[in-house]
Amino acid sequence: MFSPTQSRIFAPYFPCLTGIFLVLACITGGLDAGQSGNLTYSATETSVTITKCATAASGQVVIPEMLGGKPVTGIGAAAFSKCENMTGVTIPAGVLDIGNNAFEDCNGLVTIELPAGLTSLGERAFLRCRNLETTAVPGSVGEISDGVFLGCYGLVSVTLGNGIKSIGEAGFSSCGKLTAITLPAGVKTIGSIAFGNCVELATVSLPDSLVNIGYAAFADCASLQSITLPAGLTGLGTAAFSQTGLTSVAIPGGVNVIPEKAFFNCDALSGVTIGDGVKKIEPDAFGLSDAIVSINLPASINKVTRGSFHYCMGLTSISVAPGNATYSGVDGILFDKKKSTLILCPAAKTSADLLPATLKNIEELSFERCVSLASVTFPNGLKSIAPRAFERCAGLTELTIPASVTSLTAGSFAFCSGLEDITVTPGGTAYSSVEGVVYNKDQTTTVLCPAMKPGKVKLPASVTKVDTISFRSCTELTAVDLPKGLKSIGIKAFVGCASLKKVTIPVGVNRIDNQAFKGCGNLRAAYFEGNAPRMGYGVFFETAPDYTTYFLSGKKGFTTPIWKGQACRKLGAAVSTTGRVLEMLIGR
C-alpha cells in the first residue's frame, strides 16, 4: 500500500493510526441498517432510529413500535423531509427524539400526535408543513426549538404542555391561520420573531413566569389588539410588537428600556401606560403610532429623545410625573428639569404660546412636523433655536424672534411651507430683520428668508454675502435685487426657488458656491455685470430648459456658446445694464 519511502515516513505513526481505526470500528460496528417498507432505519444494540422515509410514501404512515426486535426511540434529521403525499403519521409512544427538519416540507400532513414522553423536538422539525392544522407539544420536550413550526401557514390550533420553558427563535413565525396561543406556566423567554407575521393571531395569553420577549417576537401580528404583559417582565426586544393591531398596552416597570421600534407603526394604539421603573424610551419606540393622543412619563424616566415618538401625528400632550429628576412638562410640551431646554413638542399641538420664561434653548427637531402648529410665542431670554427645530411646521405663517436670541440658522425653520414673515425684535446683538427677512446684526449677511415670502425681495445695500440655504425653497419668490456691494453667494443659497425667473449678478461678486440656483425651474437668465466669478459645481443645474448666461463684451472668464455646461451669450459693449436688460432679452 505504501512505497518504501512512504513506509519510512509513516512508520512512527502506524501504532496511532491503528488505534484510531480500531476506535472507529467499535463505534460503527455497533450500528445496523435496515429497511421496513418505506422506512429506512439504523439500530444500536438497544434501540432503532428512523433515518429516512421514501418520498413516495402516501396517506397515513405508521411507524412501528419495534423494528428488528428493538424499540423505535428516534426519528432522525430530515427523515421524512419532502414526503408531500403523506397525510398523517403515527408515532409510537417510545419515541423520545425527533431530529432537525424531520418533517420539513410535508405539505400533505394535516395533523400529528406527538408522544407524551417526547424529550427532544429538533429545530425546524415541521418547517413549511403548510397544511398542518393541529398538534399538541408535550411539556417533556422542555422547549420549542428554533423554527419548529416556521411557515406552517395552515396551523390553526396548537397546545403547549406544562414543562415548556422557552419558545425558540421563529418557533411559530408565519403561521398565518393561528388565531390563539396560550403559553403554559413556566415559560420564561420568547425568542426573536417567535410569532412574527402570524397575521390572524388575535389572542395571546402570557404566563406570570415570563421575563423576556425577544426581537420582533410579535411583529406584524395585525390582528393582535390586546395583550397583558406580566408584572415580572424585564426584557423587551427591538420591534417586539411593531405593526400589530394593539389598541392599548401597559408596560410594567421592570422593563428598564422600551427599545427601538417596540411599538412602531401600531396604527390603532391609543392607550399607553408606562410603569414606574422604566428608565429609557429609545428612538422610534412608538414611531408612526398615530392614534396615541397623550403620554405620561413616570418619575423613573431619564432618557427620552425626539425620535421616541417620531411621527406620532395624533399626539397632543406629554406630561411628566411629579418627582422626575430629569424632565418636566409645561402645557403638554416636554422640557428638561429646569425648563431651560425644550426637548419635544407633540406633533398634533396647535399652539406653543405658554413657553416658560426660563427657556433658553430649543433643541434640534423638537417641533419637527408639528403641522397643526399655528402660533409660537418665544419668551424674552431665549438664546438658541437649533437647526431643524421647526422643520416642516406647515401651519406657521409668521414669527417674532426675541432680541435675546444669539443662535439661529437658515435650517431652524426649514421647509415651513406656510411661513411668510419673520420679525426680529430690535435691540439684539446677533440678528435683525428687514421686511420679514432675517439678517445678521450688521445686515452684511442673509440668514433666513421665510419659505412663502411672496414677490420681490430687495436686499439692503450693506449685504456682502448671501449665506448658505438662506433662500432655500422660497417658492413664491419671483425676483431678488442683489446689492452692488455683494461679494459671494453661498451653497444652495437659492435652491428650489421655483418662481424665480431672472437674476442679475452684481459686478463685485467673486464667488458663487455649489448649486446656488439649482432647482430654480423657471429661471431663464442670469446677467453677469462683471468678470466671471469662481463657480462651484451645478450652480444653475435644473433651471429652465432655455436658461442662458449673459455677459458684457470685454468681461473675462466666460466662453460661448457654452459656459459651465449651459448656454452662454455675449452682449455688445453698448448694452445698458439697467434693470430692463434681462426683460428685453428673455421677452418678459
Side-chain angles (χ1 to χ4, degrees), residues 516-559:
F517 293 89
K518 180 184 177 183
C520 297
N522 286 300
L523 185 65
R524 299 180 61 197
Y527 172 70
F528 285 77
E529 294 183 326
N531 294 329
R534 186 165 65 174
M535 300 283 284
Y537 71 85
V539 169
F540 294 105
F541 279 4
E542 300 175 9
T543 49
D546 59 347
Y547 168 81
T548 303
T549 294
Y550 295 92
F551 69 99
L552 285 175
S553 176
K555 298 303 179 181
K556 300 176 181 179
F558 300 95
T559 58

Side-chain angles (χ1 to χ4, degrees), residues 33-42 49-54:
Q35 187 82 25
S36 176
N38 287 318
L39 302 177
T40 301
Y41 62 89
S42 62
T49 296
I50 305 299
T51 57
K52 187 64 179 173
C53 177

Side-chain angles (χ1 to χ4, degrees), residues 74-389:
I75 298 173
F80 289 83
S81 177
K82 301 187 185 303
C83 291
E84 297 186 356
N85 296 316
M86 182 177 66
T87 58
V89 58
T90 301
I91 302 174
V95 169
L96 303 176
D97 177 78
I98 296 177
N100 296 346
N101 302 84
F103 294 92
E104 176 184 357
D105 290 324
C106 291
N107 288 326
L109 193 62
V110 176
T111 186
I112 190 165
E113 183 175 345
L114 301 176
L118 188 68
T119 59
S120 177
L121 184 59
E123 296 179 3
R124 303 172 301 278
F126 296 95
L127 176 65
R128 293 189 301 269
C129 291
R130 301 182 188 280
N131 291 302
L132 182 64
E133 294 179 358
T134 61
T135 191
V137 182
S140 53
V141 300
E143 65 174 359
I144 300 296
S145 299
D146 294 349
V148 168
F149 295 99
L150 172 61
C152 292
Y153 182 79
L155 189 64
V156 175
S157 173
V158 60
T159 301
L160 304 180
N162 290 326
I164 293 175
K165 303 297 183 185
S166 65
I167 309 297
E169 181 177 335
F172 294 90
S173 181
S174 297
C175 291
K177 293 188 177 180
L178 186 66
T179 59
I181 188 76
T182 297
L183 302 187
V187 170
K188 294 184 177 182
T189 63
I190 300 175
S192 300
I193 326 175
F195 295 91
N197 200 35
C198 290
V199 293
E200 293 188 18
L201 185 63
T203 303
V204 175
S205 179
L206 303 177
D208 292 339
S209 56
L210 187 66
V211 296
N212 189 70
I213 298 174
Y215 164 78
F218 293 91
D220 299 306
C221 292
S223 299
L224 185 62
Q225 296 183 3
S226 66
I227 195 164
T228 299
L229 301 179
L233 187 69
T234 59
L236 190 63
T238 298
F241 292 93
S242 65
Q243 302 190 109
T244 59
L246 288 175
T247 59
S248 64
V249 66
I251 301 163
V255 177
N256 285 337
V257 178
I258 302 175
E260 184 178 358
K261 295 189 176 181
F263 299 93
F264 180 77
N265 200 21
C266 294
D267 289 341
L269 185 62
S270 59
V272 176
T273 301
I274 302 173
D276 196 21
V278 176
K279 295 179 180 178
K280 182 179 180 181
I281 305 176
E282 290 190 338
D284 269 332
F286 295 92
L288 288 177
S289 295
D290 289 344
I292 299 175
V293 174
S294 63
I295 288 288
N296 182 58
L297 301 179
S300 56
I301 285 283
N302 59 31
K303 183 63 175 178
V304 177
T305 71
R306 166 65 194 178
S308 299
F309 301 96
H310 202 212
Y311 295 159
C312 290
M313 303 309 290
L315 188 62
T316 61
S317 175
I318 300 173
S319 59
V320 181
N324 189 295
T326 307
Y327 300 109
S328 58
V330 177
D331 191 34
I333 298 174
L334 183 66
F335 298 83
D336 69 338
K337 183 63 177 177
K338 295 180 179 180
K339 301 184 180 69
S340 63
T341 298
L342 193 155
I343 298 167
L344 175 59
C345 179
K349 191 80 172 163
T350 57
S351 67
D353 294 324
L354 300 175
L355 301 180
T358 53
L359 183 63
K360 304 297 181 186
N361 308 297
I362 297 176
E363 286 193 346
E364 184 175 8
L365 296 172
S366 54
F367 284 85
E368 183 199 15
R369 290 186 186 270
C370 291
V371 294
S372 299
L373 189 69
S375 65
V376 178
T377 301
F378 297 117
N380 293 325
L382 180 68
K383 297 294 185 183
S384 171
I385 303 175
R388 304 180 67 192

